[in-house]
Amino acid sequence: MSEKVLMKGNEALAEAAIMAGCRHYLGYPITPQTEIAAYMAKRMPKVGGTFLQAESEIAAINMVIGVSAAGKRAMTSSSSPGISLKGEGLSYLAGCDLPAFVVNVQRGGPGLGGIQPSQSDYFQATKGTSHGDYHMLVLAPDSVQEMVSMTFKGFDLADKYRMTVMLLADGTMGQMMEPVSLDMGEVKEYDKPWAVTGTKCEREHNVVNSLFLKPEQLEVKNFERFEKYNYIEENEVMYEEYLMDDADICIVAFGIAARVSKTAIDMARAKGIKVGMIRPITLWPFPKKALRAAADKVKSFISVEMSMGQMIEDVRLATECTKPVLLCNRVGGMIMTPDEVLAKIEEAQKTGGNN
Amino acid sequence: MTTNMLIAGFGGQGILFSGKFLAYEGLLEEKSVSWLPSYGPEMRGGTANCSVIISDTPVGSPIVSTPDILIAMNMPSLDKYENETVAGGKVFVDSALIDRKLQRTDVEAYYIPATKLANDEGLTGLANMIMLGYVIAKTGIIPFENVDRALLKVVPASKQHLIESNKKALELGYNYAE
């Protein structure tokens, strides 16, 4: 099946989750991701799955813990304020080493904020979702096709590493339609000997738990988890390079900001400005090595993001502050225009990034 | 070649549907396409708009802020987007609902009383498709011969009986151009 269909990001993502073997969707509606729940409500009963609208976001994430502990692929989705509510459950998932797939179709904040697209949950997703030492694998698609491929891959990574994979999209990615191929290949099945599936009096009880009262034991748990994280940082980084071969200026952008930046880069190239882009697809693990290598070649970086400047901190860390990093941003549900990015590129060209 | 389109009007006029139709036909022509709706509270009874891009190269930003083709289906939409249209662009106006001419002189203006034609011809609610037929005739954005296959894709299976009236509306607009 290679014929492309025109689908909304939210709906394409939902179909991809079903194709990835997810049969349990637990959610609670919130704009701009409600189409995911609506699609699941229609499709899940037809494939023998469960669609459940919980009484709250908190209930939904705790149901995800239950389904995952039983060894099944589970997902929930929400938008920014709803993800904050799920924070506690996300920490418990990490503490229990359970796989889960969680979608955040971001909107402007803080607080209830607005319903237009935003990327201001970058810190939340990559660093501070909730308490304790843990990471989620964070995937940032920039097209409807990637909404699909990253969902499919996300379920695989979650099972492979027994951890939460968050797909960090935004209102634009969720609402836009683009041609998409749903040809995803085979689902890889993982053994889950740890799952709570009933002993049938044939084995010891499995216990899924995040409570370890002995500090020696809890420390070891944390050390082990971070060995896994180190492995992921070495092996699972994904990014796209765009016109970087001869670039003097390197834009760093993800999601919709990367799409806008691509248009701006093409405009700048037409004016003879050598600018390219490194687009992180995994926000955690962040493509540190690619940026560090780029820092030896380019004169400056521009972080293009729809926040007050969150990812820019990771760009500075990754490049060890060897080159200036400018910020091009809009917030509150506003999206930068290609012209605004172009103006920042021209500023970087003129000043070498030094204001 | 990349064509950036903005279709704007009020909720219920089929603004998003007509955009989807164009995007689907672009897809069937093997072009790169994107469709992005406004999804704010305004779509519940206020202005609705959608960005449609049809291109020979991969679509960068899916947001159309400066359209090459503007379709204005009500006065607030024309007021809001007339000045955003690129110089040399084409502006289509439903003159049954908008009783003023364009202020700009550096764009091509096209007027069609789409809503009145729809009501007169028993095609109430299909002013959007009459407008699209006219836009296709004046811009060649998609080949008119192939509208059937895009209609089949965008009209839901449960509403296939509406294909005929949609087709009729498209033809009405297309022929109005002659």
Side-chain angles (χ1 to χ4, degrees), chain B residues 1-23:
Chain B
M1 160 117 177
T2 299
T3 307
N4 296 305
M5 276 176 288
L6 195 62
I7 310 174
F10 56 79
Q13 280 183 312
I15 299 296
L16 304 187
F17 177 85
S18 54
K20 192 176 167 184
F21 168 81
L22 275 178

Side-chain angles (χ1 to χ4, degrees), chain A residues 25-30 34 37-38 41 50-56 59-60 63:
Chain A
Y25 173 89
L26 305 315
Y28 187 80
I30 180 171
T34 300
T50 299
F51 162 83
L52 197 154
Q53 179 171 327
E55 66 270 33
S56 72
M63 290 173 190

